[in-house]
Amino acid sequence: MTHGLIHHIELYVSDLSKSTAFWGWFLRELGYTSFQKWEGGQSWKLEDTYLVFVQAEERFLDIPYHRCRTGLNHLAFHASSREFVDEMTKKLQQRGVTILYSDRHPFAGGENHYAVYFEDPDRVKVELVAP
């Protein structure tokens, strides 16, 4: 049953090529596949849910995103296991992605919350959570 599940999330980004390189790799690792692609955007889909990334218009690029303002704080994804979180953490580090809260990793969310936190190219926080 899909009633109530997220259909899609659309994010406007400052540099579509950087964002699609970052998100494309990460989402493929989670099992998403490329769904739609057009001049100003791209999406990836997993089952009935998809994520869309759209190039923000030039006139809005002087207002930088910050997750502590009104709006989106972060996106959190399920991981299949703690081992997968560990594998992804290594891959993120190899790609030069900063791990947030590294002094408390992988328990930055609390002693019973095993996850890795990091940022996309626009500094949107992303969380990958083990069961």
Side-chain angles (χ1 to χ4, degrees):
M1 178 176 178
T2 58
H3 179 84
L5 294 179
I6 300 251
H7 184 270
H8 72 275
I9 295 170
E10 185 168 316
L11 299 173
Y12 276 62
V13 298
S14 65
D15 184 325
L16 184 61
S17 63
K18 281 183 182 177
S19 291
T20 55
F22 174 88
W23 283 101
W25 165 81
F26 178 68
L27 293 172
R28 282 189 299 276
E29 290 283 330
L30 298 181
Y32 284 73
T33 57
S34 182
F35 180 48
Q36 301 163 318
K37 188 173 184 177
W38 63 100
E39 184 179 332
Q42 184 164 352
S43 65
W44 286 269
K45 186 172 185 173
L46 179 63
E47 297 181 11
D48 293 327
T49 300
Y50 63 98
L51 289 123
V52 184
F53 301 88
V54 179
Q55 176 62 55
E57 293 179 31
E58 186 73 32
R59 64 189 170 124
F60 296 119
L61 293 179
D62 63 338
I63 306 167
Y65 166 82
H66 195 287
R67 67 177 171 266
C68 292
R69 290 186 186 143
T70 301
L72 178 73
N73 176 268
H74 71 281
L75 295 172
F77 295 86
H78 286 283
S80 57
S81 65
R82 287 182 172 199
E83 292 77 20
F84 186 74
V85 169
D86 295 340
E87 288 172 29
M88 289 301 292
T89 301
K90 287 178 188 166
K91 289 180 180 182
L92 289 160
Q93 290 169 326
Q94 289 169 350
R95 296 176 75 83
V97 176
T98 301
I99 304 303
L100 300 173
Y101 324 119
S102 60
D103 59 324
R104 294 177 282 154
H105 173 76
F107 295 105
E111 66 181 60
N112 296 317
H113 190 79
Y114 198 96
V116 59
Y117 298 84
F118 53 99
E119 290 179 329
D120 85 344
D122 285 313
R123 301 200 61 217
V124 173
K125 183 167 62 172
V126 184
E127 179 181 359
L128 182 61
V129 185

